[in-house]
Amino acid sequence: MKKLLTQLFVAVVVISLAASCKCKIVSPEGTTLTGVVKCGCKAVAGVAVTDGEQIVLTDENGVYNIASTKPYGIVYITTPSGYEPVAMDSVRQAFWARTTAEADELERHDFKLKKVDDSKLSVLMWSDTHFCNDPKRDDFTHFRELIMPSVNKAAAEADGYKFSICLGDITWDRFWYATGTDIESVPQHLASHNFPMPFYCVHGNHDYDPSVASTDNPNTTAIQRFSNTFGPTFYSINKGGVHFVLLDNIVYKNEVKEGQKMAKGVVGSRNYDLYVDDAQLAWLAKDLAAVDKSTPLVVCMHAPLFTYNGKGEQVYSFAEGKSELLVELIKDFEKVTVFSGHSHRTMSFAHPQYPNIVEYNITSVGGDLWNTPNLCGLNIGEDGADAGFYLCSFEGDKLSKEWYSAVNGSNYPFRAYDMNVVAKVYVESEAVKHLCKLQSNQVDYSEPQYADYVYVNCWAWESGSTLTITEDGVALEVEKVTDSDPLAAKVVFGKPSILEKTKESSKTNRLSIAANMFRAKASSADSEVVITFTTPAGQSYTQTLLRPAPFVTK
């Protein structure tokens, strides 16, 4: 009996404490959004709360009030450093809430935080999962067997507080209705794999509802299912003294095109423009105005700020004049790091005018849309880079990155080719021969001028890196070239179906060129060469290539 009375007393105390944490709020006239931000029962002052248009700070009681028209049907916080939102489930965090009342009616949404030590910070940056549950691609199996082991390895090796950011296209809209693999299925799918860290998601062009017609304001309407699942499409997070901004740079149109074949449930071509719209830029200006310019700024978005054109030239990727508007808002920060996806390639860019702005464009974890594991046993992208992701470590204003491959569990950020062996494969492949004739940017590596060369596709290369190739201890002359990747040419583009094509594709030319291809000529066909790649942070990777070295294509 005494034990039972003790348990009842404890239960009453817990209920009483919970009730006492729910404070009454008296809001000014005109307020439509109100609430309190607390850690346990303690108010957290100075937390930014926004409706996507206005930004207010909580007062000394943790209370916020916004006279809002609820333009996006959502209210959310900027998580302060040293805290994390309580979990919504095993994957998502409750930093946002959908509005439920009419635009002119008052409603309350409270946010709960808990303290964390994020003085050391690790962030898993990945992109373009394209979940589709397509039996031909077998993406669910490949995600389980190729991606999750690398994710779990990265999580185990990460220092300090850790979380992940997917840089968009977590789904593949073409399969939302064909296989039922829609945006709402993603949290459960990740949870089924015991995804090991909090998860934030950028919105990508394949994360819109493709059943919304172009006449129904698709950029706003087709995004609602994503927002109901993952919250706002633009927001900020403070972690470990770093200010993260997640942006939406896709403007969805979904126009019908004549002769277009459409999958089940799709009503348009799923087309879009690339830029950050004016309303979002106005919000971003307010958000950044409260951030000291010495604070490291990390901008995450789906489509890259920069890309390479068909001539290998670095150019802005947004619609004309739109990239500059974003750059204007971020250029005065001492250190700006942009992470993006979308291209299914791995590239890095330094802003030609503002050296404080660098971008890392990350390939799809599904490589060539999950096709190559079935074709060659390797998960690679259209530029030949391994499918994979970066584990980024932040300590103060210092950033270091570790590449994790989704191919064979290695962390090696490059692949080396013995071009003598590659030449033999090219000679024997009718499909690759046709590809080289059809595509002006494709290199026919069976030609004699490539004999005795060693090529290295170093996808993690960035300004400040070094790559050396030695033969019998003697350094060879290394040059950077604008050439296609031999493995991508054979496996991704040089499929037998290429024999049916008669017209050159500018897209194939652009995608197949490796952004960071290096080569050196050896003195003989059977000499041993040693390749060493060193990052600006001092991380070093060395491979000894015993030649003749196999060219693994299946």
Side-chain angles (χ1 to χ4, degrees):
M1 175 63 74
K2 184 176 180 181
K3 182 177 180 182
L4 178 60
L5 289 173
T6 300
Q7 290 174 336
L8 288 172
F9 175 77
V10 171
V12 169
V13 169
V14 169
I15 292 170
S16 298
L17 286 172
S20 68
C21 288
K22 184 79 170 179
C23 63
K24 184 178 180 180
I25 300 174
V26 179
S27 298
E29 186 177 353
T31 299
T32 56
L33 292 173
T34 190
V36 62
V37 180
K38 288 190 174 185
C39 179
C41 285
K42 185 177 180 180
V44 184
V47 177
V49 187
T50 180
D51 61 355
E53 187 174 272
Q54 302 179 63
I55 302 175
V56 302
L57 299 179
T58 56
D59 63 18
E60 67 274 12
N61 297 312
V63 173
Y64 71 90
N65 290 291
I66 308 176
S68 172
T69 60
K70 307 172 187 176
Y72 297 96
I74 197 166
V75 59
Y76 50 101
I77 66 171
T78 294
T79 305
S81 287
Y83 294 90
E84 72 173 8
V86 297
M88 182 180 294
D89 51 37
S90 65
V91 175
R92 298 170 294 176
Q93 294 191 309
F95 70 97
W96 58 276
R98 294 295 286 185
T99 58
T100 54
E102 295 296 325
D104 59 351
E105 293 180 357
L106 177 64
E107 56 185 295
R108 175 172 174 169
H109 297 280
D110 294 348
F111 297 97
K112 298 178 181 179
L113 302 175
K114 61 180 182 179
K115 284 194 172 184
V116 296
D117 179 6
D118 56 15
S119 55
K120 286 187 177 181
L121 183 63
S122 296
V123 185
L124 192 153
M125 291 284 186
W126 58 318
S127 192
D128 293 81
T129 311
H130 290 288
F131 287 133
C132 58
N133 198 19
D134 179 9
K136 294 180 180 179
R137 302 169 198 273
D138 203 14
D139 55 292
F140 279 15
T141 299
H142 296 323
F143 183 78
R144 181 181 67 250
E145 296 180 353
L146 298 177
I147 307 302
M148 282 309 302
S150 292
V151 169
N152 289 329
K153 180 183 178 184
E157 295 174 351
D159 286 332
Y161 182 81
K162 55 198 174 191
F163 68 99
S164 68
I165 296 177
C166 176
L167 296 163
D169 282 0
I170 190 75
T171 61
W172 193 348
D173 49 352
R174 188 161 69 87
F175 291 90
W176 275 30
Y177 296 95
T179 67
T181 311
D182 50 25
I183 197 70
E184 291 88 349
S185 69
V186 172
Q188 183 179 357
H189 185 55
L190 292 176
S192 72
H193 293 290
N194 297 313
F195 197 80
M197 61 187 78
F199 176 88
Y200 294 89
C201 196
V202 171
H203 185 268
N205 57 289
H206 288 292
D207 297 323
Y208 283 95
D209 182 352
S211 71
V212 177
S214 61
T215 55
D216 294 333
N217 192 16
N219 193 51
T220 299
T221 309
I223 210 170
Q224 293 305 311
R225 289 177 63 180
F226 178 92
S227 293
N228 289 338
T229 306
F230 287 112
T233 60
F234 56 93
Y235 54 101
S236 60
I237 309 167
N238 289 312
K239 289 291 181 189
V242 180
H243 190 66
F244 293 84
V245 176
L246 287 73
L247 300 177
D248 176 10
N249 60 2
I250 307 297
V251 180
Y252 194 59
K253 299 162 80 171
N254 204 25
E255 297 167 323
V256 176
K257 293 184 179 180
E258 187 176 352
Q260 174 102 20
K261 292 183 179 180
M262 299 180 191
K264 181 180 178 181
V266 178
V267 299
S269 61
R270 300 174 292 140
N271 62 324
Y272 52 89
D273 291 327
L274 296 182
Y275 61 91
V276 179
D277 65 30
D278 291 343
Q280 197 175 159
L281 289 172
W283 173 88
L284 180 61
K286 296 173 186 175
D287 176 82
L288 295 181
V291 182
D292 191 278
K293 296 298 187 291
S294 65
T295 301
L297 176 62
V298 175
V299 179
C300 301
M301 52 191 179
H302 182 55
L305 178 63
F306 289 104
T307 189
Y308 290 110
N309 61 20
K311 299 177 182 178
E313 300 166 332
Q314 178 178 323
V315 295
Y316 279 136
S317 71
F318 290 6
E320 186 175 357
K322 297 294 187 178
S323 297
E324 293 87 343
L325 298 177
L326 175 59
V327 170
E328 183 64 26
L329 291 177
I330 64 177
K331 65 180 177 61
D332 293 330
F333 283 82
E334 291 179 8
K335 189 172 184 179
V336 182
T337 308
V338 179
F339 288 97
S340 58
H342 185 61
S343 70
H344 292 211
R345 307 174 75 199
T346 303
M347 303 176 283
S348 66
F349 304 95
H351 196 290
Q353 186 177 355
Y354 304 108
N356 55 314
I357 301 176
V358 296
E359 178 175 21
Y360 301 103
N361 186 226
I362 302 175
T363 190
S364 164
V365 295
D368 177 39
L369 295 173
W370 303 106
N371 283 311
T372 61
N374 293 334
L375 291 171
C376 67
L378 299 175
N379 188 16
I380 66 169
E382 294 158 329
D383 61 348
D386 284 357
F389 53 84
Y390 278 118
L391 179 65
C392 303
S393 299
F394 297 86
E395 190 167 3
D397 62 352
K398 295 179 181 178
L399 163 64
S400 60
K401 309 184 309 302
E402 183 83 9
W403 176 262
Y404 283 79
S405 170
V407 174
N408 53 16
S410 83
N411 291 20
Y412 268 72
F414 64 81
R415 180 180 293 106
Y417 298 102
D418 181 346
M419 301 311 289
N420 293 332
V421 180
V422 169
K424 294 177 182 178
V425 174
Y426 269 54
V427 167
E428 296 168 358
S429 174
E430 290 296 325
V432 172
K433 284 181 184 177
H434 183 68
L435 174 70
C436 292
K437 292 178 181 177
L438 189 66
Q439 300 293 148
S440 59
N441 279 9
Q442 286 292 325
V443 180
D444 186 353
Y445 289 121
S446 67
E447 295 179 356
Q449 65 262 37
Y450 299 102
D452 295 334
Y453 268 100
V454 172
Y455 269 58
V456 181
N457 184 350
C458 186
W459 49 85
W461 173 272
E462 61 180 291
S463 178
S465 301
T466 61
L467 189 140
T468 62
I469 303 175
T470 61
E471 179 185 36
D472 297 327
V474 178
L476 299 177
E477 182 182 351
V478 178
E479 62 177 325
K480 190 176 183 182
V481 292
T482 305
D483 283 343
S484 53
D485 180 86
L487 185 58
K490 178 68 174 67
V491 176
V492 178
F493 300 105
K495 304 183 189 82
S497 58
I498 193 71
L499 294 169
E500 302 170 7
K501 298 186 181 296
T502 58
K503 293 183 179 179
E504 181 176 37
S505 165
S506 59
K507 181 179 180 181
T508 298
N509 274 337
R510 176 174 57 83
L511 292 176
S512 61
I513 298 300
N516 295 297
M517 184 71 81
F518 299 84
R519 72 177 185 177
K521 185 156 187 166
S523 62
S524 67
D526 57 1
S527 60
E528 178 181 297
V529 300
V530 178
I531 302 152
T532 301
F533 167 64
T534 305
T535 72
Q539 298 149 303
S540 189
Y541 306 83
T542 298
Q543 178 187 354
T544 299
L545 192 67
L546 303 176
R547 302 166 62 241
F551 179 37
V552 180
T553 60
K554 62 179 178 178

